[in-house]
Amino acid sequence: MSALSPIVSEHESEEAAARYDHWFREKVRASQEDGRPLIPHDAVMAEMDEIIRRAEERVAKRNATSATWALLMLIISWRDSARNDLAHIIQFIADRNPFAARRVRQIIEDAVLTGSRASVSFPSRRGSWHT
């Protein structure tokens, strides 16, 4: 197993990077071949808002604060498989930290609104912050 520098890759080895690349390419291929109808962006974001809202309610019951965000919507369409993947990701994050889930959702929204990649800062597995 060949170790990779955290400066070069977020993966711990070339083998891990290759496995991720294969998984990602398979997801893209499957999405492109998915013949089901596209889902409007606003419908997908509304579902993500509902996932986050439920998590915020659970946290609020534990005396935590919840965050709200003003949203602007564009006409964007999502594949069902992409929406499902996003829902699983948002649910995973929201169960642990609804504020972080809201932030991830906002990063996606910002990227759509600007038409470019959003700059994201997050802690790596090694504990340092990077973008």
Side-chain angles (χ1 to χ4, degrees), residues 5-115:
S5 163
I7 295 171
V8 174
S9 174
E10 290 186 35
H11 301 285
E12 294 184 9
S13 69
E14 290 178 11
E15 293 81 5
R19 282 192 307 274
Y20 175 81
D21 185 66
H22 175 76
W23 169 85
F24 182 77
R25 289 175 186 274
E26 180 58 26
K27 284 293 218 179
V28 170
R29 185 201 57 74
S31 178
Q32 289 171 334
E33 293 176 0
D34 187 344
R36 292 176 287 187
L38 296 174
I39 302 154
H41 174 73
D42 58 345
V44 173
M45 290 295 108
E47 287 182 43
M48 300 313 112
D49 284 341
E50 181 60 22
I51 290 170
I52 294 166
R53 186 195 61 72
R54 288 192 307 263
E56 287 173 335
E57 285 179 355
R58 287 191 305 272
V59 169
K61 288 180 182 177
R62 294 187 304 249
N63 298 323
T65 60
S66 61
T68 58
W69 297 81
L71 305 174
L72 298 173
M73 296 294 173
L74 295 175
I75 299 172
I76 302 290
S77 297
W78 289 64
R79 294 259 181 222
D80 186 56
S81 58
R83 187 221 24 222
N84 290 340
D85 288 346
L86 180 59
H88 286 109
I89 292 165
I90 294 291
Q91 186 68 64
F92 178 85
I93 297 168
D95 286 346
R96 288 150 185 82
N97 184 338
F99 179 78
R102 176 74 57 197
R103 177 73 178 119
V104 167
R105 187 244 183 261
Q106 189 61 44
I107 289 166
I108 293 167
E109 190 66 22
D110 291 347
V112 168
L113 291 174
T114 62

